[in-house]
Amino acid sequence: MGNKAEWWKGAVVYQIYPRSFLDTNGDGIGDLKGIEEKLDHVVGLGADAIWLSPFYPSPNKDFGYDVSDYCDVAPEMGTLADFDRLVAATHKRGMKLIVDQVLAHTSEQHSWFQESQLSANNAKSDWYVWADAKEDGTVPNNWLSAFGGPAWSWNPVRRQYYHHKFLKSQPKVNFHNEEVVEACMNVLRFWLDRGVDGFRLDVANAYLHDAALTDNPPLPMEKRTFMDWAHAPRLQQHIHDANREENEWAMKRVRAVMEEYDERLAFGEFSERQEMLGLYAGGLERLHTGYTFHFLEDWSFEPPVFREYYEELLAPLADLFPCVTFSNHDIVRPVTRWGGGQGDDRLAKLALTILVALKGTVLMYQGEELGLPETDLDRKDIKDPVGDLYFPWVKGRDGCRTPMPWESGAAGAGFTSGTPWLPIPDYHKVRAADVQAGDRNSVLAHARQVVALRKAHPALKLGDIRFVDTEGKVLAFTREVEGERLLCIFNLGTEAASFGLPEGAGEAVFEVGEVMRESGALSLGARSGAIFKL
């Protein structure tokens, strides 16, 4: 059994989208050598680990989340030798390396599917989810793809439909087949043997489907939000194509593989039905942890959003140490969601402070430390299939995936000597890393300070969280661990606010924005906050 050292609890994990981090060969696409070259930037932040989005061979219909070979590196990103060198360079700097695994589906170009589609009786015929058409030729059931339309596509050779939760080029792997499960577990072992420290599991809620292919029920009218009405697949409850209770055993199989190695981590993405989190993660047998989209899909930046997550979802899950994240490669950047416009450094600093003050393993996305806003792209620049479907009403995910701006004055913003695969706007270039590195008041300097703050205070890293009743836009909570108790107070609003400090509040250990203390009252400017000893 593996060593149980829990290095990941309260750690800061920095997510890298390899395609957009640094391009070293001028083709406009980031590569593994580029990540290695910029590791010291991540070290400078104080991050404990990096998480790499997919870098595997892929036809890039969904930019790496359609894997055509689980055990190699995409040629445009490098070689296995480059990967091995990156592992060594990361470990040499005292950081862990986590990689994405996309086990719920493959690319249609994966050799498994290429064989499976040929007949209903070959060695891999049952490695994917196949079903007969209804008598009139229509799809087997009402399941909808997350990217729009039926979650089924016709194959003229097998004369059957295959299931895909996402693009038709991403056929769903059949986890009801033990050979498939073991093949996927061997993919994990392949990378663990190369020295990776863990995995982020893409759509970890969707490994298992209902073998009877039961229709999904509708989402009740009273539960539908503007997010649901914007996208038809969200108008049904995904309880048969994903989010199954039996999905728990798939998570246990992953955890069992992790236990064959020392000090490894597996955390899952749970993008639907977050109430299933406790069944899939936590304890000694399931995934170590996981994250939901509670904060990621929030556009309000209201105090109750933060309180609800901990008091309603997480409070009953005593054996789960959570993740906390505001940003990733699928989501409109938080500065834009919560503030709008082409950037708001005051908001960026406040959000980073709240991120490290909340309980959980922090997942920080590249560019968050620079305060980058969402990029507003023209139709001609859209690459993401979601944007391709719904432009201009929904522009897809490209706006958070544009390349990192390293040098403000360089044509490719220091990302590439060629033409970047997505454009880099001027309002990113003015926030380039080289500009911020020399500015003590920059978002980057602030990011380094708040990560150091978390490391300096055990209560922020590992302590319990309890929320304090407040009014208006003020968010307040305590973090407590044996020997240390802190009070965190933040004004999320754009108007000044006040908060009555309790007796016994000591000195402020950290402030962001305009904060003034007068006897028992705390005056908070817009987008400001402070952390006090209790």
Side-chain angles (χ1 to χ4, degrees):
M1 295 290 281
N3 185 324
K4 298 298 190 299
E6 295 177 311
W7 59 266
W8 56 272
K9 283 191 173 180
V12 174
V13 178
Y14 182 85
Q15 182 193 353
I16 290 174
Y17 192 73
R19 195 175 181 86
S20 292
F21 203 59
L22 181 68
D23 165 32
T24 60
N25 62 4
D27 65 357
I29 296 170
D31 43 52
L32 296 184
K33 287 181 179 177
I35 297 170
E36 183 181 356
E37 191 172 308
K38 290 295 185 182
L39 280 179
D40 288 340
H41 170 80
V42 187
V43 172
L45 275 175
D48 302 288
I50 59 173
W51 147 29
L52 303 185
S53 288
F55 51 84
Y56 315 107
S58 167
N60 287 317
K61 297 287 181 63
D62 192 22
F63 295 101
Y65 286 93
D66 49 331
V67 179
S68 57
D69 186 344
Y70 282 121
C71 298
D72 206 349
V73 173
E76 67 270 24
M77 291 193 186
T79 64
L80 280 170
D82 292 332
F83 180 81
D84 292 341
R85 199 172 61 249
L86 176 59
V87 173
T90 304
H91 289 164
K92 182 180 177 181
R93 288 165 173 78
M95 294 189 297
K96 306 285 188 182
L97 179 67
I98 298 163
V99 300
D100 239 304
Q101 282 298 343
V102 192
L103 301 183
H105 52 260
T106 69
S107 164
E108 63 185 350
Q109 295 183 26
H110 196 289
S111 61
W112 297 352
F113 187 75
Q114 291 294 302
E115 184 173 348
S116 184
Q117 69 178 346
L118 293 177
S119 70
N121 57 8
N122 65 65
K124 290 189 171 57
S125 60
D126 193 38
W127 279 44
Y128 293 82
V129 183
W130 294 96
D132 292 331
K134 291 182 179 177
E135 190 175 0
D136 62 358
T138 53
V139 294
N141 62 20
N142 76 342
W143 296 354
L144 292 175
S145 158
F147 288 168
W152 298 93
S153 287
W154 181 253
N155 180 275
V157 178
R158 279 189 59 150
R159 300 179 183 179
Q160 284 185 305
Y161 282 102
Y162 64 88
H163 172 47
H164 51 88
K165 188 166 174 61
F166 298 95
L167 297 174
K168 65 175 292 186
S169 55
Q170 293 170 298
K172 173 77 174 65
V173 169
N174 181 17
F175 257 72
H176 290 288
N177 182 324
E178 174 57 31
E179 289 182 359
V180 172
V181 177
E182 191 53 32
C184 288
M185 297 307 103
N186 283 334
V187 168
L188 300 181
R189 293 183 181 102
F190 174 87
W191 294 104
L192 290 166
D193 289 342
R194 296 194 96 88
V196 308
D197 299 289
F199 304 105
R200 176 266 190 184
L201 300 175
D202 189 58
V203 287
N205 57 301
Y207 284 19
L208 270 296
H209 67 285
D210 172 29
L213 305 184
T214 308
D215 278 356
N216 282 328
L219 183 69
M221 283 294 198
E222 64 273 14
K223 291 188 176 180
R224 298 182 180 190
T225 68
F226 84 97
M227 295 283 288
D228 300 318
W229 281 109
H231 196 38
R234 295 180 62 139
L235 299 180
Q236 60 180 222
Q237 297 181 72
H238 292 274
I239 63 174
H240 296 303
D241 59 340
N243 306 299
R244 308 282 298 165
E245 287 194 7
E246 63 211 277
N247 198 70
E248 179 188 17
W249 71 250
M251 304 297 96
K252 288 181 174 180
R253 287 291 293 271
V254 170
R255 179 62 180 265
V257 172
M258 310 308 288
E259 294 297 318
E260 297 170 12
Y261 299 79
D262 290 341
E263 298 185 29
R264 309 300 168 98
L265 166 69
F267 69 97
E269 174 199 35
F270 300 106
S271 55
E272 302 167 325
R273 300 197 72 215
Q274 63 180 16
E275 68 271 15
M276 306 295 283
L277 176 63
L279 185 65
Y280 301 154
L284 299 177
E285 292 187 300
R286 299 181 290 273
L287 298 189
H288 296 85
T289 184
Y291 68 92
T292 75
F293 277 44
H294 183 92
F295 298 129
L296 295 170
E297 290 189 342
D298 175 60
W299 287 71
S300 72
F301 203 45
E302 294 283 349
V305 172
F306 297 89
R307 188 166 188 163
E308 285 164 9
Y309 191 62
Y310 289 90
E311 291 188 344
E312 295 179 18
L313 179 72
L314 295 178
L317 308 180
D319 62 354
L320 176 73
F321 190 94
C323 293
V324 57
T325 181
F326 297 162
S327 184
N328 68 28
H329 63 288
D330 284 333
I331 298 296
V332 172
R333 287 188 178 273
V335 168
T336 300
R337 286 203 322 274
W338 291 336
Q342 295 184 347
D344 181 340
D345 290 355
R346 185 166 56 174
L347 174 58
K349 291 176 182 179
L350 177 64
L352 284 164
T353 312
I354 297 170
L355 183 66
V356 301
L358 289 170
K359 180 178 180 178
T361 295
V362 169
L363 308 178
M364 184 186 295
Y365 179 52
Q366 67 179 53
E368 199 169 355
E369 78 278 20
L370 301 179
L372 297 186
E374 187 84 351
T375 301
D376 188 23
L377 294 167
D378 294 332
R379 181 67 184 87
K380 63 180 173 55
D381 296 318
I382 296 293
K383 303 283 200 303
D384 178 34
V386 179
D388 194 49
L389 269 174
Y390 296 125
F391 192 94
W393 298 281
V394 176
K395 294 190 175 183
R397 300 165 295 177
D398 292 323
C400 65
R401 298 177 175 183
T402 53
M404 278 283 282
W406 296 106
E407 300 170 26
S408 62
F415 164 73
T416 182
S417 60
T419 302
W421 76 286
L422 286 172
I424 305 168
D426 289 342
Y427 49 90
H428 278 202
K429 290 178 182 176
V430 297
R431 290 181 169 80
D434 67 333
V435 176
Q436 297 201 32
D439 180 359
R440 288 184 299 176
N441 295 315
S442 67
V443 177
L444 177 58
H446 187 84
R448 291 168 174 165
Q449 290 165 11
V450 295
V451 172
L453 177 75
R454 172 173 270 232
K455 291 178 181 293
H457 292 278
L460 293 181
K461 186 174 182 182
L462 296 169
D464 291 332
I465 188 168
R466 286 186 176 82
F467 287 81
V468 177
D469 291 338
T470 58
E471 295 180 357
K473 303 285 188 178
V474 176
L475 170 69
F477 51 86
T478 60
R479 298 295 311 279
E480 185 173 4
V481 76
E482 188 175 349
E484 185 177 42
R485 187 164 182 247
L486 300 175
L487 173 62
C488 305
I489 308 156
F490 303 105
N491 176 15
L492 310 189
T494 54
E495 304 289 335
S498 59
F499 180 85
L501 283 172
E503 285 187 29
E507 62 182 297
V509 299
F510 194 81
E511 294 182 357
V512 54
E514 298 171 3
V515 179
M516 187 169 298
R517 181 178 184 176
E518 294 180 4
S519 61
L522 190 67
S523 176
L524 296 158
R527 311 288 205 208
S528 66
I531 299 174
F532 294 91
K533 288 183 178 179
L534 286 178

